[in-house]
Amino acid sequence: MDTAFWILLSILFPDIIIVDISVIIPTYQPSDYIWQCLDSLNRQSLDHSCYEVIIILNGKKEPYYNQINHYISQNAQTAFRLIYTDISGVSNARNTGMEASNGDFICFLDDDDWVSDNYLEELLKVSTYKGLAISNVRLYIERNACYADSYMTKAFAKNKERKQITILSTRSLCNSACIKIIPKTIIGNSRFNPRFKISEDVLFMATISSNIKEIRLTSPEAIYFRRVRKGSATYTKQTTKSLVLNNLRLIRELIKIFFSQPKKNYNIRFFLLQGMGLFKNIIRIIKGA
């Protein structure tokens, strides 16, 4: 819809909040790393009226709720909102954030990660209601205090050289709900499965994959920085049995999604590759045990 429509809408209904992007950050007993995350959003080159930041604190409430509220009061130029839920889990927190969001696009960000100053502006520049706008990615290895490329960095670079970018060529970039903006029209009623605490992104992205008709990449300078730290959900040591079982459950859930909703016309190659990736994870886990 054009700008004139939104201006007229804001005049007729002044209580309606209109923003382009809703940034959703789930957080659970955060440490000081969350301030770097929030600071990076406070420094965005995109006009602050164009985005909101929804922080969903889950689990234990204090002292985190008061600390984050204090930060918000000191940085009023950015539309920060803090929501508390006593139900722990990143999936529930993200779902809560989506329900509370006002933006046309959803942008997920983990509380221990951060983004470049031009991140939201560059994503919005290449945004499309037909699909995803995806950014570059770099790792920050906390133990060594150094930056590194990841498999996502390499996938981004390879796709920048392609004449045609598809969901298959960017499959490794589409595994994560982060590093991108997703139109609400593509998400629809889809939500994260709260039964999964690891790799829940894979199922969510698979569920909405049939609605993705186009994928665009930002300039390489728009970067999502992923922090590799001891104690994070991604890198916490899990037992071999629990990791194998989680991947088997993910494969079973992918099969259920594909066959339970035939009208969605899912890409069978995309689902097969997702399943193969999870099966390779199982082999790696067993070999590394």
Side-chain angles (χ1 to χ4, degrees):
M1 295 183 184
D2 59 26
T3 305
F5 173 84
W6 291 115
I7 292 173
L8 178 61
L9 193 65
S10 64
I11 293 171
L12 294 174
F13 304 97
D15 292 334
I16 292 178
I17 300 172
I18 301 171
V19 292
D20 292 308
I21 302 173
S22 294
V23 182
I24 295 174
I25 306 172
T27 186
Y28 174 80
Q29 297 187 18
S31 188
D32 286 345
Y33 50 71
I34 193 174
W35 310 130
Q36 184 172 15
C37 173
L38 299 182
D39 282 345
S40 72
L41 292 167
N42 217 13
R43 292 194 305 266
Q44 289 299 296
S45 57
L46 182 66
D47 192 291
H48 287 225
S49 64
C50 295
Y51 66 98
E52 64 178 356
V53 180
I54 306 172
I55 307 155
I56 303 92
L57 175 64
N58 62 95
K60 186 179 177 183
K61 187 172 185 178
E62 296 299 354
Y64 314 104
Y65 190 87
N66 278 333
Q67 290 172 349
I68 296 170
N69 250 339
H70 178 73
Y71 179 93
I72 291 173
S73 69
Q74 298 298 307
N75 295 278
Q77 69 270 30
T78 301
F80 287 111
R81 276 195 287 154
L82 177 59
I83 298 172
Y84 172 73
T85 172
D86 58 0
I87 304 172
S88 62
V90 66
S91 292
N92 176 69
R94 284 174 171 172
N95 292 341
T96 300
M98 281 192 282
E99 295 296 334
S101 64
N102 297 300
D104 289 342
F105 296 91
I106 298 295
C107 176
F108 295 107
L109 178 59
D110 289 339
D111 66 349
D112 50 357
D113 299 335
W114 72 97
V115 294
S116 59
D117 293 356
N118 62 346
Y119 184 73
L120 295 180
E121 183 177 11
E122 291 296 313
L123 282 170
L124 200 56
K125 275 183 186 177
V126 298
S127 63
T128 169
Y129 286 101
K130 295 179 181 179
L132 309 176
I134 302 177
S135 75
N136 199 359
V137 188
R138 294 216 74 200
L139 297 180
Y140 175 72
I141 316 298
E142 192 173 76
R143 183 183 64 227
N144 302 324
C146 67
Y147 293 89
D149 290 344
S150 73
Y151 68 92
M152 287 185 177
T153 318
K154 295 170 184 175
F156 181 90
K158 283 183 180 178
N159 277 281
K160 283 295 283 186
E161 296 174 358
R162 292 178 184 270
K163 290 183 179 179
Q164 186 175 10
I165 303 170
T166 68
I167 194 169
L168 291 177
S169 71
T170 57
R171 186 181 65 83
S172 58
L173 297 170
C174 290
N175 280 340
S176 172
C178 299
I179 74 165
K180 56 181 65 72
I181 55 173
I182 311 171
K184 270 189 179 175
T185 51
I186 281 179
I187 294 173
N189 295 322
S190 297
R191 294 295 183 264
F192 289 87
N193 190 328
R195 292 191 294 110
F196 290 87
K197 297 185 184 300
I198 302 174
S199 300
E200 68 286 337
D201 292 29
V202 173
L203 295 181
F204 176 76
M205 294 305 295
T207 302
I208 68 172
S209 63
S210 63
N211 298 328
I212 299 169
K213 309 302 180 187
E214 189 175 354
I215 292 177
R216 299 177 183 177
L217 302 182
T218 64
S219 67
E221 289 73 34
I223 304 171
Y224 184 107
F225 293 97
R226 300 189 68 181
R227 186 189 302 270
V228 180
R229 65 177 179 85
K230 185 178 179 181
S232 70
T234 305
Y235 299 99
T236 298
K237 182 69 174 176
Q238 305 284 331
T239 66
T240 300
K241 181 181 178 181
S242 67
L243 288 172
V244 169
L245 285 175
N246 187 73
N247 279 274
L248 287 172
R249 290 183 187 119
L250 286 167
I251 292 171
R252 183 180 64 185
E253 201 65 30
L254 278 175
I255 294 169
K256 282 173 61 179
I257 291 168
F258 186 84
F259 287 106
S260 65
Q261 303 181 64
K263 289 183 180 179
K264 287 204 169 185
N265 196 26
Y266 285 118
N267 186 317
I268 190 169
R269 287 182 65 196
F270 179 77
F271 271 73
L272 284 172
L273 288 169
Q274 295 293 77
M276 287 171 60
L278 291 168
F279 185 73
K280 286 179 181 177
N281 282 345
I282 292 172
I283 301 299
R284 271 196 300 268
I285 291 162
I286 294 172
K287 284 183 176 180

